Amino acid sequence: MTAIPLSRLAGALLLAAILAFALLGPLLIDADPLRQNLRATLRPPSGEFLLGTDHLGRSMLARLASAARLSLGLAAAAVLLAGVIGTALAALAAAARGRAADRALSGLCDATMALPGLLTVVLIAALAPGQLWPLYAGLVATQWVEFFRPVRAFAAGRLAAPDVEAARLFGFGGWHVFRRHLLPELAPLIGTLAAFGVASAVLAVSTLSFVGIGLRPPTPELGSMMVELLPHYADAPWQLLAPAALIFATVLGLRLVASAGDEA
């Protein structure tokens, strides 16, 4: 029986706690993340407000739970679609190795990677500032290349293996080869790339909101929460540190899981 690396176990437990907070928090916390109470601004943690309140008297616990759900949901959905696109295109390129389709797809990947990913998201997000869909489209447009290169390299070698050539000689088609011979062996690699991708996407969404390009207040989002609380850092530093700590824990958990998978 193979022992689970300690770092992966720690990352998985951390992620499980954050996911439970993101999924169950908005259902269990009896507070509206948008409801203002100007008579209870910048309250410290207490029995009434477990993580205190922000500058508008809103529950920090409720806003953090909603922000975690939004950030993780958006990042996971974008990486899922990017993974499907990147893996499918990589398999097509590997099957057409050296031919025009392979060169065209590899050239498209190179062209996409030539532009910094965050800048690409910014350009697409500028189409509809403050909206969710351009952020999603921008993340997909930059994340698919993270899957394309490694999956293509692995698939090209695997397609030349004797058992795959034998399957072709027996008349099995490309979908059968992909489903039975490629996908099971690609799964660990895709999982590792997806974990790194979600971590990058969470950071990108928070960074864009922090600089005023992504989601905007009053939507609970980790980056925009930090912007709102920045002027009040001297009076309530714990309120500013709370969303930063949640971003750190989320990215750390994802990277611990991904790094352990990469070393396995």
Side-chain angles (χ1 to χ4, degrees):
M1 182 176 177
T2 304
I4 300 176
L6 187 59
S7 59
R8 168 172 281 188
L9 182 61
L13 290 175
L14 188 57
L15 278 181
I18 294 170
L19 283 174
F21 177 62
L23 294 174
L24 300 178
L27 302 176
L28 299 178
I29 299 170
D30 187 22
D32 185 344
L34 301 178
R35 185 175 179 274
Q36 301 181 13
N37 181 1
L38 297 181
R39 291 178 297 181
T41 60
L42 298 176
R43 291 273 184 89
S46 64
E48 183 180 4
F49 300 105
L50 291 180
L51 292 181
T53 60
D54 66 3
H55 62 298
L56 295 176
R58 297 172 295 195
S59 167
M60 283 294 295
L61 186 63
R63 288 183 65 76
L64 281 174
S66 296
R69 173 185 281 191
L70 176 62
S71 294
L72 281 172
L74 177 60
V79 170
L80 177 64
L81 181 57
V84 171
I85 294 172
T87 301
L89 293 180
L92 289 174
R97 188 175 184 178
R99 298 198 291 272
D102 182 23
R103 293 195 296 273
L105 290 171
S106 297
L108 177 62
C109 176
D110 291 338
T112 304
M113 295 183 74
L115 197 62
L118 198 58
L119 180 58
T120 302
V121 180
V122 168
L123 293 175
I124 297 176
L127 297 174
Q131 299 295 312
L132 199 61
W133 70 264
L135 273 180
Y136 178 77
L139 291 172
V140 173
T142 56
Q143 286 281 336
W144 73 270
V145 296
E146 304 297 332
F147 291 85
F148 182 84
R149 284 291 182 194
V151 171
R152 181 198 169 280
F154 182 91
R158 189 68 185 89
L159 290 176
D163 60 322
V164 176
E165 292 186 352
R168 286 172 169 166
L169 289 175
F170 279 108
F172 291 106
W175 173 244
H176 173 88
V177 169
F178 177 77
R179 184 170 57 86
R180 297 295 298 273
H181 297 273
L182 275 183
L183 194 55
E185 297 188 24
L186 277 172
L189 173 62
I190 292 174
T192 299
L193 294 172
F196 277 123
V198 172
S200 299
V202 167
L203 282 176
V205 171
S206 300
T207 301
L208 291 174
S209 296
F210 190 82
V211 298
I213 298 174
L215 300 174
R216 295 177 178 175
T219 302
E221 197 284 324
L222 297 173
S224 65
M225 288 175 66
M226 293 172 65
V227 172
E228 287 186 288
L229 291 163
L230 197 57
H232 309 282
Y233 174 69
D235 299 322
W238 57 87
Q239 313 297 51
L240 177 61
L241 293 177
L246 188 54
I247 294 173
F248 171 76
T250 303
V251 174
L252 178 63
L254 287 163
R255 288 191 173 275
L256 284 176
V257 171
S259 298
D262 197 37
E263 293 168 2

